[in-house]
Amino acid sequence: MAIKYLDLKRINKSFGDDLFKSANKVLNSGWYLKGDETSAFENEFAEYVGTKYCIATGNGLDAITLILEAWKQMYGWTAGDEVIVPANTFIATVLAISRVGLKPILCDPHIDNPTIDEALIERCVTYRTKAIIPVHLYGQMCNMDAINKIARSHGLLVLEDACQAHGAIYNSSVGLELTSLFGKRAGNNSEAAAFSFYPGKNLGCMGDGGAVTTNNKELADYVRMLANYGQQQKYVHEYQGFNSRMDEVQAAILRVKLPRLDKDNARRLEIAHYYSTHICHPAVQILPFVGNNSHVYHVYAIKCRNRDRLREILAENGIETLIHYPIPVHRQEAYKEYATLHLPVSDNWAEEELSLPISPVMTDEEVNQVVDCINQNIF
């Protein structure tokens, strides 16, 4: 039985005719941008996250970019001012910093946790530092208490990159059922947050889409203007803005999927817990299970020194895997000026990380097949 890393067709099919009906409604409306569906989704997602404001954007990269550009305008930041960011992240997080003329300062993650190592952040702070971007990588939330404390002590802003953490809750109650009774969702633990709704995300549309969430009205107003060519009133441009708007079809699709997000995340947690407790190969490092449920397992990552051979064995048995991410930012040609940085933990993640199949529509039989294939082979 072949097992895809992520079967998007199967996931979307699980919604029955609802996705088709929602998209068809928009097609028949004759209104495709900045309409009722987008406005409704913004309100619903803000309520879900727990923030006062949500601004839909074209994608997650734009969401981060818009926040940083707005802060530059609001606080008079200048070119070359610095933003601390984990080196172990998808390059979009760093691209957004460069895109607005700021300087990325790369920081290593934890060795057994993919998120930024808060103990290393403070040594990255200089007189030019303006912000920290903690990335809730793979769906695992960062230590926001520690990061916010560091930020306050140095007068810095914090921007959550929540592009992989839809629905995750910081300091939630223990158990496999996510609840926000005692904690705040990803996207509501800092001054502002960015989300991506790329199709493969826990909450994904059928194209590109993103969002900014915040409780700051001034920032929300800036972001909304900047995302729409720098204008509030048509043809009256207050800023040199961007074109970053979610279309109505994507908003309608996300409105169908949002009510099921917690249920889908709960299934991901079940699968992750099974992997963590049943994979017992001595060559595989299982990452610590997060007891406070601040993980929604957008990615289920393991580490293995002979990662590439394990991946070959799984492929030979019809099991598709991915690597997140095989080349760290400081090893990319696009950031060759960072090539001399000593970031051994980021390099280690790139060398040993392997992402196993996980999705809310995986069956128990498929999960068992993955576990058995790992446990029963030599690599």
Side-chain angles (χ1 to χ4, degrees):
M1 179 173 59
I3 300 174
K4 291 185 177 181
Y5 174 76
L6 184 67
D7 193 335
L8 289 176
K9 183 176 180 180
R10 192 163 139 199
I11 290 172
N12 288 329
K13 189 175 180 180
S14 71
F15 288 90
D17 292 333
D18 290 346
L19 294 177
F20 173 80
K21 289 177 181 177
S22 65
N24 198 48
K25 178 183 174 183
V26 173
L27 294 176
N28 289 328
S29 73
W31 194 279
Y32 307 121
L33 281 171
K34 295 180 68 64
D36 292 342
E37 292 293 337
T38 303
S39 179
F41 173 71
E42 289 176 334
N43 291 333
E44 290 161 7
F45 195 66
E47 182 179 2
Y48 177 81
V49 172
T51 55
K52 293 180 181 178
Y53 308 103
C54 171
I55 304 93
T57 66
N59 53 67
L61 169 59
D62 284 357
I64 302 171
T65 303
L66 288 161
I67 295 168
L68 293 173
E69 181 61 32
W71 281 344
K72 276 188 70 179
Q73 301 276 356
M74 292 166 64
Y75 303 117
W77 296 355
T78 58
D81 282 341
E82 298 171 352
V83 178
I84 298 170
V85 63
N88 181 40
T89 184
F90 182 54
I91 199 170
T93 317
V94 184
L95 288 174
I97 300 170
S98 302
R99 197 177 182 189
V100 298
L102 300 173
K103 182 180 179 180
I105 302 298
L106 303 181
C107 181
D108 252 341
H110 299 273
I111 189 68
D112 60 352
N113 176 331
T115 63
I116 191 169
D117 188 342
E118 61 278 1
L120 302 178
I121 291 176
E122 202 139 21
R123 70 183 66 176
C124 296
V125 176
T126 74
Y127 74 99
R128 298 210 67 171
T129 308
K130 301 299 181 184
I132 305 169
I133 303 183
V135 180
H136 302 321
L137 200 68
Y138 306 159
Q140 165 70 70
M141 288 192 69
C142 301
N143 186 341
M144 294 307 297
D145 288 341
I147 292 168
N148 284 324
K149 183 178 179 180
I150 293 168
R152 285 192 299 269
S153 70
H154 293 279
L156 308 178
L157 295 172
V158 177
L159 190 173
E160 289 174 81
D161 181 339
C163 291
Q164 298 185 12
H166 313 73
I169 300 169
Y170 188 66
N171 288 337
S172 67
S173 59
V174 177
L176 286 179
E177 183 178 353
L178 284 167
T179 172
S180 57
L181 183 62
F182 303 110
K184 290 184 177 181
R185 290 193 189 275
N188 190 23
N189 292 271
S190 61
E191 285 80 9
F195 287 89
S196 165
F197 303 114
Y198 180 78
K201 304 294 186 181
N202 291 33
L203 179 62
C205 54
M206 291 187 178
D208 275 319
V212 170
T213 58
T214 183
N215 290 304
N216 186 312
K217 185 179 186 305
E218 183 182 12
L219 175 62
D221 290 343
Y222 263 97
V223 167
R224 196 173 293 280
M225 279 192 292
L226 288 170
N228 189 32
Y229 300 104
Q231 65 182 358
Q232 278 185 308
Q233 179 183 346
K234 193 163 186 172
Y235 302 131
V236 180
H237 303 273
E238 300 175 48
Y239 303 98
Q240 296 178 15
F242 306 87
N243 173 19
S244 183
R245 301 170 296 187
M246 180 183 291
D247 69 66
E248 287 284 280
V249 172
Q250 305 308 329
I253 288 167
L254 290 170
R255 292 187 67 203
V256 172
K257 291 188 170 186
L258 179 59
R260 212 181 80 182
L261 177 57
D262 285 347
K263 179 181 177 182
D264 286 351
N265 282 344
R267 175 57 180 161
R268 287 176 176 269
L269 281 163
E270 289 178 357
I271 295 169
H273 186 260
Y274 191 87
Y275 278 154
S276 297
T277 54
H278 287 77
I279 295 174
C280 55
H281 197 290
V284 172
Q285 179 186 343
I286 299 296
L287 305 181
F289 184 72
V290 180
N292 71 351
N293 270 347
S294 60
H295 203 324
V296 289
Y297 289 98
H298 171 62
V299 169
Y300 184 88
I302 59 173
K303 293 177 81 174
C304 179
R305 289 185 180 179
N306 201 4
R307 185 264 313 279
D308 294 340
R309 178 56 188 146
L310 171 57
R311 193 178 189 209
E312 288 176 359
I313 290 170
L314 289 166
E316 290 165 1
N317 285 272
I319 299 168
E320 184 181 20
T321 58
L322 293 180
I323 299 170
H324 295 91
Y325 299 96
I327 306 174
V329 174
H330 64 292
R331 303 296 183 198
Q332 297 284 354
E333 179 67 18
Y335 284 97
K336 57 187 176 183
E337 65 270 30
Y338 291 85
T340 58
L341 287 182
H342 182 61
L343 295 165
V345 182
S346 296
D347 287 331
N348 175 263
W349 276 96
E351 292 164 0
E352 296 188 4
E353 191 275 341
L354 184 66
S355 304
L356 302 182
I358 189 166
S359 86
V361 296
M362 276 189 76
T363 65
D364 291 345
E365 182 183 4
E366 289 171 327
V367 176
N368 276 315
Q369 185 179 342
V370 175
V371 171
D372 289 345
C373 186
I374 293 173
N375 288 342
Q376 294 172 8
N377 279 282
I378 298 173
F379 47 88

